[in-house]
Amino acid sequence: MANRVVDVKSYTEYLWMNTKKRKEIVPISDAVFAAVEKSGVKEGFCLVSAMHITASVFVNDYEAGLWADIMEWSEKIAPENPHYLHHHTGESNADAHLKRLLLGHQVILPITNGKPDLGPWEQVFYGEFDGQRKKRVIIKIIGE
Amino acid sequence: MANRVVDVKSYTEYLWMNTKKRKEIVPISDAVFAAVEKSGVKEGFCLVSAMHITASVFVNDYEAGLWADIMEWSEKIAPENPHYLHHHTGESNADAHLKRLLLGHQVILPITNGKPDLGPWEQVFYGEFDGQRKKRVIIKIIGE
Amino acid sequence: MANRVVDVKSYTEYLWMNTKKRKEIVPISDAVFAAVEKSGVKEGFCLVSAMHITASVFVNDYEAGLWADIMEWSEKIAPENPHYLHHHTGESNADAHLKRLLLGHQVILPITNGKPDLGPWEQVFYGEFDGQRKKRVIIKIIGE
């Protein structure tokens, strides 16, 4: 049976990121969980989306060795390379645009009973591929 | 013109998966369609998301040859390899984490007139890359 | 504080695509922004999803050099190849199915204050990998 939702709400928050390294994976689960609690939403969806096109948001394991593996893998699959056509514009970050496509730039967390309804090992991460400057991640929640 | 939604509902269901093989693609459209019908939602979104970080959910073709192609391709792009740093923790499944990132771990199905509003060939699949044990997929529906 | 949503709406629109070339990236932000305006939704989610399984929808940069880089990259990672098992069915487009998986087939745009809440460079694109025929993209909006 479906539950009737009687009091629909929306909630929006922006996380500011500014990584020390050009490429870095940053855990953001705590901020996302706090936003869900602040929203007061009990049943709904929480979108977490990188607003800059050289960054990523994904859900995977909280394990630093795996983060290094992900970085090395994305470098192998979408390497830095001076010959991208995008660089004719004066940019040098085409690889970062491709890494965002490879890893994905957003996730939806289901919210059940007031909490993100994640599996036992699921954690939310921000993947930066052209950092050392301010960028935003939007957290948008809709639900009961 | 937008339709007014007068009676918002939420519905949550968990599919238990336990594949016989370590790597396997499993069609799950029937279960997802049944959940949408049970929800009673006429206009909304249906999230289907793998809750374990070595599994995937995607929408593609119901064709066994293509499933084998997807498995072979994902093995080529994110191969099994004893040298991943993640394996220093005692794990041996870093490739499965990368395959989840490659293929994606969730999809949203739009619901229109009470049914998943998919294209003629779109079907939902679970991609397992470290199976032979119990794992869950969440189906979460929000809408009218 | 979460905002109370008092008047929930849904809105659905289909974009018809028919590219001149077999493989082509097409900007669709204008159509998506127009749909959000037509919906009247002020706070919500806008799903943009390719309904054919050999096409993609993604959010990245409005820059033609980068589009060519994305096409060349996806060809390198998921190349045309006569030996895919999918081709035993008479099809010849397995690479296009894989490219959809690589780039993703859908995005969710958050809607805030009646507009897609995107970063400064975020634009929406349709990626066609087996075109020269009519295909659809669904735009589905739910919110206040």
Side-chain angles (χ1 to χ4, degrees):
Chain A
M1 267 295 294
N3 294 310
R4 178 86 56 96
V5 173
V6 288
D7 183 15
V8 177
K9 296 170 186 141
S10 72
Y11 178 81
T12 309
E13 189 176 311
Y14 305 91
L15 297 183
W16 283 97
M17 313 298 298
N18 191 350
T19 59
K20 284 180 192 161
K21 289 186 279 184
R22 179 153 185 251
K23 300 183 187 182
E24 197 170 330
I25 290 175
V26 182
I28 57 172
S29 283
D30 287 354
V32 174
F33 273 66
V36 170
E37 190 169 349
K38 277 182 268 178
S39 77
V41 166
K42 300 301 177 201
E43 300 289 324
F45 292 137
C46 172
L47 175 72
V48 187
S49 190
M51 300 180 79
H52 286 253
I53 51 189
T54 50
S56 176
V57 168
F58 58 89
V59 168
N60 219 291
D61 201 358
Y62 194 97
E63 201 280 296
L66 184 69
W67 307 342
D69 290 331
I70 291 170
M71 276 302 190
E72 188 177 330
W73 177 67
S74 65
E75 191 59 39
K76 185 180 145 211
I77 302 300
E80 287 190 45
N81 175 343
H83 302 300
Y84 290 114
L85 293 173
H86 183 48
H87 297 175
H88 294 183
T89 63
E91 293 284 355
S92 60
N93 60 3
D95 69 297
H97 290 274
L98 299 179
K99 288 175 173 94
R100 166 183 163 105
L101 289 168
L102 178 64
L103 298 181
H105 80 283
Q106 62 183 193
V107 297
I108 294 267
L109 311 186
I111 302 170
T112 305
N113 295 324
K115 288 187 193 311
D117 197 349
L118 300 179
W121 306 103
E122 286 193 309
Q123 297 263 343
V124 189
F125 297 94
Y126 175 73
E128 176 63 84
F129 309 109
D130 186 21
Q132 299 169 320
R133 54 200 171 103
K134 288 177 76 180
K135 295 185 175 182
R136 285 192 301 167
V137 171
I138 185 169
I139 302 174
K140 181 118 201 169
I141 297 164
I142 306 276
E144 168 195 25
Chain B
M1 268 293 294
N3 294 310
R4 178 85 57 97
V5 173
V6 289
D7 182 15
V8 177
K9 294 170 187 143
S10 72
Y11 177 82
T12 308
E13 189 175 311
Y14 306 92
L15 297 183
W16 284 98
M17 313 298 297
N18 192 350
T19 59
K20 284 180 192 160
K21 289 187 279 184
R22 180 154 184 250
K23 300 183 187 180
E24 197 170 329
I25 290 175
V26 182
I28 57 171
S29 284
D30 288 353
V32 174
F33 274 66
V36 170
E37 189 168 349
K38 277 181 269 179
S39 77
V41 167
K42 300 301 177 201
E43 301 290 324
F45 292 137
C46 172
L47 174 71
V48 187
S49 190
M51 299 180 79
H52 286 253
I53 51 190
T54 49
S56 175
V57 168
F58 59 87
V59 168
N60 218 291
D61 201 359
Y62 195 98
E63 201 281 296
L66 183 69
W67 306 342
D69 290 330
I70 291 170
M71 276 301 189
E72 189 177 329
W73 177 67
S74 64
E75 191 59 41
K76 185 182 145 209
I77 302 300
E80 288 190 44
N81 175 343
H83 301 301
Y84 291 115
L85 293 173
H86 183 48
H87 297 175
H88 294 183
T89 64
E91 292 284 354
S92 61
N93 60 4
D95 69 296
H97 291 272
L98 300 179
K99 288 175 173 94
R100 167 184 164 105
L101 289 168
L102 178 64
L103 298 181
H105 80 283
Q106 61 183 193
V107 297
I108 294 268
L109 311 186
I111 301 170
T112 306
N113 295 325
K115 287 186 195 311
D117 196 350
L118 300 178
W121 306 103
E122 286 192 309
Q123 297 263 343
V124 189
F125 297 94
Y126 175 73
E128 176 63 82
F129 309 110
D130 186 22
Q132 299 170 318
R133 52 198 173 107
K134 287 177 78 181
K135 293 185 175 180
R136 285 191 302 167
V137 171
I138 185 169
I139 303 174
K140 181 118 199 170
I141 298 164
I142 306 278
E144 167 194 27
Chain C
M1 267 293 293
N3 294 310
R4 178 85 57 97
V5 172
V6 288
D7 183 15
V8 177
K9 295 170 187 145
S10 72
Y11 178 81
T12 309
E13 189 175 310
Y14 306 91
L15 297 183
W16 283 97
M17 313 298 298
N18 192 349
T19 58
K20 283 181 191 159
K21 290 187 279 184
R22 180 152 185 253
K23 300 183 186 181
E24 198 170 329
I25 290 175
V26 183
I28 57 172
S29 284
D30 287 354
V32 174
F33 273 67
V36 170
E37 189 169 350
K38 276 182 269 179
S39 76
V41 167
K42 300 299 178 202
E43 300 290 325
F45 292 137
C46 172
L47 174 72
V48 187
S49 190
M51 300 179 80
H52 287 253
I53 51 189
T54 49
S56 177
V57 168
F58 58 88
V59 167
N60 219 292
D61 201 0
Y62 195 98
E63 200 282 294
L66 184 69
W67 306 342
D69 290 330
I70 291 169
M71 277 301 191
E72 189 176 329
W73 177 67
S74 64
E75 192 60 39
K76 184 181 146 211
I77 302 300
E80 288 190 44
N81 174 344
H83 302 299
Y84 290 116
L85 292 172
H86 184 47
H87 297 175
H88 294 181
T89 64
E91 293 285 354
S92 60
N93 60 2
D95 69 297
H97 290 273
L98 300 179
K99 288 175 172 95
R100 166 184 165 104
L101 289 168
L102 178 64
L103 298 180
H105 81 282
Q106 60 183 193
V107 297
I108 294 268
L109 311 185
I111 302 171
T112 306
N113 295 325
K115 289 188 193 310
D117 196 350
L118 300 179
W121 306 103
E122 286 192 310
Q123 296 263 343
V124 190
F125 297 94
Y126 176 74
E128 176 63 83
F129 309 109
D130 186 21
Q132 299 170 318
R133 54 199 172 104
K134 288 177 75 179
K135 294 186 175 180
R136 285 192 302 167
V137 172
I138 185 169
I139 302 173
K140 181 119 200 167
I141 298 163
I142 306 278
E144 167 194 26

